[in-house]
Amino acid sequence: MSVPRLGGAEVLRLSNDELPSPAVGQVRVRVLAAGVSYGDILLRAGVIPGGPKRPFTPGYDLVGVVDEVGPGTRAPEPGSRVVALVRSGGYAEYALVAANRLVPLPDGVDPVEASALALNYFIAQQMLHRVAEVRRGGTVLVHGASGGVGTAFLELAGLAGVTVYGTCSAARAEQVRALGGRPIDRDKEDFRRVVRALPGGAVDAVYDPIGGRHFLRSYQAVRRGGVMVGFGQNAALDGNRRDLLTGAQGFLGGIVLPKLVPDGKRTLFYNAWSLEKSHPSAYQQDLATVLELLQKGLVNPRVGRTMPLDEAADAHRAMETAAVTGKIVLVPAGA
């Protein structure tokens, strides 16, 4: 499945290419499941910078079986079940993956459930424990708490003894409450007022996937010594791209300018690839950690719908309209 040009879901196209052979350092993986994320939609629409060169195959995560190992490459044996987070390439029947990105799929774990977990729980794990380093007894605010990353935060924070306040629609409040979170109605309540009414009047960390001017509002809810973590630009689909990235109301105003104010608070934009540079072992460790939690039944990623790979465009439409609750997972024919 490829994106030959930028645009709506209709630009997604099935492509039939020759089966690629892995080079040194690579492994060919027969894909069993691939998750659909909002980041796929943003890249397809071209509303944020840094996307792969077109045509490209979307998909940040994949679960599959090692099919062939490149010459002289140390990797799991053919037939081994593996999980990988990649920059692109998940929406495929076969994918070439760098051997050092493969993490074993634990015994007994369903590939679809692993795909529903891999990306969302990995980034939530990193932002909670490596980026903000929130301790037991801490309090955080998560925007979009009923979404894929939001529910991952709720479960992982619960295991860590961290209290989560989460913005969501009124219709999803009970879902957030059932996972141990404390819902804030995103349409009727100002989350800053809710936070100011808490003991201490602020939280240890805020996690914001919305972007634009929302970053600055989130920053205002953080205590001294705390951090506002941006991890998306979802508002880019609704607003002016330039305003989202520059100026007082955009990325510059919400992430960069607060760094110039000596108020004891931090801002940063989470990027898993950048984190790997400063913590080379983080990728393997953190992905293995969340997969082990899944194997032990300590987390329960929500699979909203499984869909054939050739229905990827419909999967994007369903995600854009919030027609599905839980992760959408694509399954190639014959998987």
Side-chain angles (χ1 to χ4, degrees):
M1 185 66 63
S2 70
V3 176
R5 67 181 193 283
L6 301 180
E10 72 280 353
V11 305
L12 285 164
R13 289 286 183 271
L14 274 175
S15 57
N16 295 306
D17 303 316
E18 286 189 25
L19 197 62
S21 295
V24 174
Q26 289 185 324
V27 172
R28 187 171 69 206
V29 176
R30 178 170 61 85
V31 179
L32 300 177
V36 178
S37 73
Y38 211 78
D40 300 335
I41 292 170
L42 296 177
L43 289 180
R44 185 212 69 216
V47 295
I48 56 174
K53 183 179 179 181
R54 299 180 296 277
F56 67 91
T57 298
Y60 285 112
D61 67 80
L62 60 90
V63 181
V65 177
V66 174
D67 184 64
E68 184 179 338
V69 177
T73 300
R74 294 184 60 185
E77 295 290 329
S80 302
R81 301 195 312 163
V82 293
V83 184
L85 299 180
V86 292
R87 290 182 181 270
S88 62
Y91 295 15
E93 293 181 333
Y94 290 86
L96 292 180
V97 182
N100 62 6
R101 299 213 66 78
L102 300 179
V103 174
L105 179 66
D107 293 340
V109 174
D110 179 73
V112 170
E113 286 193 346
S115 184
L117 167 128
L119 179 64
N120 291 343
Y121 283 71
F122 171 82
I123 64 177
Q125 173 78 7
Q126 291 208 323
M127 286 191 282
L128 189 64
H129 295 294
R130 290 195 186 270
V131 175
E133 298 181 320
V134 182
R135 305 302 182 191
R136 182 171 294 274
T139 301
V140 302
L141 171 65
V142 175
H143 292 296
S146 63
V149 178
T151 55
F153 266 118
L154 290 169
E155 289 203 299
L156 293 173
L159 292 174
V162 173
T163 299
V164 179
Y165 287 83
T167 62
C168 62
S169 66
R172 300 284 175 86
E174 189 52 43
Q175 174 188 333
V176 171
R177 194 174 288 112
L179 290 173
R182 305 182 185 190
I184 299 172
D185 189 325
R186 69 183 183 198
D187 300 312
K188 295 183 179 180
E189 295 182 276
D190 184 335
F191 66 85
R192 293 170 296 181
R193 290 185 178 180
V194 174
V195 169
R196 281 198 293 269
L198 299 176
V203 294
D204 297 303
V206 179
Y207 300 98
D208 190 331
I210 299 170
R213 66 185 65 190
H214 206 267
F215 281 160
L216 190 55
R217 296 178 63 211
S218 291
Y219 177 75
Q220 294 165 355
V222 177
R223 66 167 178 80
R224 284 185 64 89
V227 59
M228 195 289 292
V229 184
F231 66 101
Q233 288 277 19
N234 294 353
L237 286 180
D238 302 319
N240 182 285
R241 176 183 172 187
R242 180 177 177 82
D243 287 347
L244 282 164
L245 298 175
T246 62
Q249 302 300 332
F251 185 91
L252 178 63
I255 298 291
V256 180
L257 292 182
K259 296 178 184 294
L260 305 178
V261 180
D263 59 2
K265 303 193 292 187
R266 295 183 295 132
T267 64
L268 60 87
F269 193 84
Y270 167 77
N271 182 300
W273 312 104
S274 296
L275 185 61
E276 282 185 47
K277 294 178 182 178
S278 57
H279 298 77
S281 61
Y283 168 74
Q284 290 276 343
Q285 289 177 357
D286 295 342
L287 184 52
T289 293
V290 294
L291 287 167
E292 183 180 2
L293 293 175
L294 177 60
Q295 183 189 36
K296 292 180 176 179
L298 296 175
V299 294
N300 180 32
R302 275 65 176 168
V303 180
R305 184 183 299 173
T306 58
M307 302 178 70
L309 177 61
D310 60 8
E311 295 181 13
D314 289 334
H316 277 214
R317 294 185 186 100
M319 174 162 277
E320 287 179 288
T321 58
V324 175
T325 301
K327 186 82 168 182
I328 300 175
V329 179
L330 299 176
V331 179

